[in-house]
Amino acid sequence: MQIDYRLQLQDLTEKINNLWSYSADKLKNMNSHLKGNIGSPVVTVNGVYEPRSWTDWTQGFQYGSELFQFNATGDSFFIDLAIDNIKKEMTSHVSHFGVHDHGFNNLSTYGNLLRLLNEGKIDNDTWLREYCSLALKLSASVQAQRWTNLPDGGFIYSFNGPHSLFVDTIRTVRILNVGHLLRHYSSGENDVKINLLKRGLQHAIATAKYSVYYGEGRDSYDIWGRTAHEAIFNTNDGNFRSPSTQQGYSGFSTWTRGLSWAMLGFAEQLEFLQGVDNLPELDELGGRNHLEKTFLKAAKATCDFFIEHTASDGIPYWDTGAPGLVHLDNWKNSKSDPFNDYEPIDSSAAAIGAQGLLRLGNYLRGKNDSDGKKYWSAGLTTANTLFDTPYLSSDTSHQGLILHTIYHRPNGWDYVPENSRIPNGEACMWGDYHARELAHYLQQIIKDNSYYTFFKDIISE
């Protein structure tokens, strides 16, 4: 990436306003189209979101997008729509024991709704506040039960089974932090009380240790900041066995959406440690300084890898080891090309990763670390590209907001348009949600409002 250090946050104001304008029509179009369908909206095909019932991990992004649209514009249509949809559709996600996605679905909905209540953005409703709080507590408790013990801690295992640690989960694990802030715990056999925060932090430690590489010689492809989508363990003794992947090219290459989840997830854990006091659980895990050092190393490594292995305008290809990249001459130093003949872009990784860069940059600037400027400017560079053509869609007939995303390249689940050799021109629900979340994050700073985090305003004063 070629970082534009001259770019200022205020330079994105018009693009952010345009995003919210396009977003409103797309959300209304999508909601009308999906009424009565079974399954969650996942990706668009010819510009139309198709529902798919496969873990339903994207449902919360749809309704969370409606909440962000209200937050940005004050249009009551979207808050009424979101509350109605959450009440009707999200209960099953709270009690879902079969997935690792609770933070994605339930923080996007119940968490954002509780924040709006506590910020006074919507009228005080005691019942609705308690409803959201209870949903978040139960979601955190259910997620905490999906646990594999390791000799030095443990992790929340993926839907593949107890042997499988996904790098994605570093961002969804935030639900355990929130459950702890709401003074809840999970219960196990013989009424054993499970500390949600401790379990969430242990998961983050395991991810930093096994999913992120630091150039320390773990294997022949160990370079600073590379990530593995999946880490495989022997569940009999808890030993790490190998890197793997489900949606990337290989276990020894870097699937860029997994990389972006790590960038954002570790940056947010740093913000949490910085922003919350009186956490005795930290001492049991080596202390606050040790945890901050661990998470900062992982955040810097992954963000550095993104910067070094992304096209010059800040938008990555779907996997840095994808074989077709050899045909794209000097692709790291050229602008991203979603219409090439060899390998697709994944702009959803940019939407997620940009926020990770910005949050890490802001965290470091608060510590007077000179590296903060690099990450902050890199985040703005990516956002500036993402919020413009050919990525931001102004086409009112297209339900997607951010174009040129990838869902599952190895399985061939992405639509390939006529006269193209690769998928392009389509959107995904998580890409659209995270673009809206990114726009909200930046807009709050531009307006000098309170700094948006997943944990702020979860508890009312």
Side-chain angles (χ1 to χ4, degrees):
M1 181 196 309
Q2 294 176 4
I3 300 172
D4 185 353
Y5 286 97
R6 300 168 300 173
L7 193 63
Q8 299 298 311
L9 178 53
Q10 289 72 17
D11 297 337
L12 276 67
T13 300
E14 183 178 355
K15 291 184 177 183
I16 292 171
N17 291 338
N18 287 338
L19 180 147
W20 293 122
S21 178
Y22 303 146
S23 172
D25 290 336
K26 292 173 183 295
L27 286 171
K28 289 177 180 178
N29 187 341
M30 178 175 60
N31 180 75
S32 176
H33 163 71
L34 289 171
K35 277 189 179 299
N37 282 298
I38 297 175
S40 304
V42 182
V43 295
T44 62
V45 176
N46 267 330
V48 177
Y49 264 109
E50 284 199 346
R52 179 182 299 200
S53 188
W54 184 65
T55 75
D56 286 328
W57 71 284
T58 60
Q59 190 87 74
F61 294 146
Q62 178 188 357
Y63 308 145
S65 289
E66 294 163 357
L67 292 172
F68 276 128
Q69 188 69 32
F70 165 75
N71 206 160
T73 65
D75 187 340
S76 61
F77 171 85
F78 292 101
I79 188 65
D80 294 340
L81 179 65
I83 292 174
D84 184 55
N85 281 329
I86 290 167
K87 288 179 178 178
K88 287 180 179 178
E89 304 293 343
M90 290 305 299
T91 303
S92 62
H93 296 287
V94 173
S95 59
H96 197 335
F97 281 86
V99 296
H100 56 270
D101 299 317
H102 278 250
F104 289 153
N105 267 320
N106 297 320
L107 274 183
S108 302
T109 49
Y110 299 105
N112 274 324
L113 185 52
L114 182 58
R115 174 180 59 81
L116 289 169
L117 281 162
N118 288 336
E119 289 178 348
K121 300 289 175 53
I122 55 180
D123 291 340
N124 183 42
D125 183 328
T126 301
W127 180 89
L128 188 60
R129 177 179 282 107
E130 291 301 316
Y131 170 74
C132 291
S133 296
L134 180 60
L136 292 167
K137 291 175 183 178
L138 294 178
S139 176
S141 180
V142 169
Q143 187 73 111
Q145 293 292 327
R146 197 171 181 81
W147 188 251
T148 293
N149 280 308
L150 298 178
D152 56 351
F155 61 89
I156 294 170
Y157 60 86
S158 83
F159 56 60
N160 278 345
H163 63 287
S164 170
L165 166 63
F166 272 9
V167 72
D168 321 19
T169 312
I170 186 59
R171 202 192 185 214
T172 194
V173 77
R174 304 173 304 152
I175 193 72
L176 301 186
N177 301 57
V178 167
H180 180 82
L181 290 180
L182 292 170
R183 300 178 178 85
H184 196 59
Y185 56 85
S186 193
S187 297
E189 301 293 335
N190 298 306
D191 293 330
V192 171
K193 290 181 172 57
I194 298 168
N195 185 293
L196 296 172
L197 178 60
K198 182 177 178 180
R199 186 153 282 191
L201 292 173
Q202 285 177 314
H203 176 92
I205 293 168
T207 303
K209 181 175 181 179
Y210 297 108
S211 302
V212 182
Y213 287 73
Y214 303 102
E216 297 170 349
R218 283 177 61 185
D219 58 41
S220 298
Y221 306 99
D222 180 358
I223 61 175
W224 175 257
R226 185 178 81 76
T227 59
H229 178 198
E230 185 177 30
I232 303 295
F233 293 82
N234 181 330
T235 56
N236 291 325
D237 59 15
N239 282 324
F240 172 76
R241 298 306 304 148
S242 67
S244 183
T245 189
Q246 300 297 313
Q247 291 172 254
Y249 177 66
S250 82
F252 296 96
S253 64
T254 294
W255 174 53
T256 54
R257 190 161 79 246
L259 173 72
S260 68
W261 291 127
M263 293 162 63
L264 180 51
F266 283 113
E268 288 183 310
Q269 290 297 326
L270 287 169
E271 290 176 331
F272 180 81
L273 291 175
Q274 187 181 52
V276 179
D277 295 322
N278 302 318
L279 297 175
E281 293 81 6
L282 305 187
D283 294 333
E284 300 177 44
L285 300 173
R288 184 185 297 270
N289 289 338
H290 168 71
L291 290 170
E292 286 189 356
K293 183 178 179 181
T294 299
F295 298 161
L296 181 58
K297 181 180 179 182
K300 278 189 168 185
T302 51
C303 286
D304 286 343
F305 188 92
F306 184 94
I307 291 169
E308 291 297 319
H309 296 82
T310 292
S312 64
D313 56 4
I315 311 296
Y317 290 84
W318 75 281
D319 191 295
T320 62
L325 289 177
V326 70
H327 300 294
L328 299 178
D329 186 45
N330 203 26
W331 62 269
K332 295 180 187 178
N333 296 314
S334 304
K335 288 186 177 181
S336 57
D337 177 11
F339 305 107
N340 76 84
D341 289 331
Y342 300 102
E343 295 291 354
I345 293 291
D346 188 1
S347 60
S348 73
I352 300 161
Q355 201 179 153
L357 289 164
L358 291 163
R359 290 187 182 278
L360 177 60
N362 187 68
Y363 171 85
L364 292 173
R365 291 194 303 179
K367 292 182 172 295
N368 296 316
D369 188 318
S370 59
D371 280 345
K373 174 65 174 174
K374 176 181 73 172
Y375 299 118
W376 179 260
S377 295
L380 290 182
T381 301
T382 296
N384 190 50
T385 304
L386 190 70
F387 292 167
D388 206 341
T389 54
Y391 295 106
L392 180 65
S393 171
S394 60
D395 181 356
T396 57
S397 66
H398 198 301
Q399 293 176 359
L401 183 64
I402 299 296
L403 304 180
H404 312 305
T405 66
I406 284 293
Y407 183 18
H408 205 310
R409 179 62 171 155
N411 279 359
W413 286 354
D414 298 278
Y415 178 73
V416 179
E418 188 177 354
N419 299 321
S420 177
R421 295 175 60 182
I422 63 168
N424 61 58
E426 302 298 337
C428 64
M429 199 68 257
W430 60 91
D432 285 358
Y433 172 87
H434 283 89
R436 293 180 175 107
E437 186 178 61
L438 173 62
H440 170 75
Y441 169 83
L442 292 171
Q443 192 172 51
Q444 292 296 99
I445 300 174
I446 290 171
K447 292 182 176 179
D448 199 27
N449 291 335
S450 60
Y451 188 81
Y452 164 65
T453 68
F454 74 86
F455 56 89
K456 188 178 184 299
D457 294 318
I458 284 295
I459 300 176
S460 59
E461 297 297 335

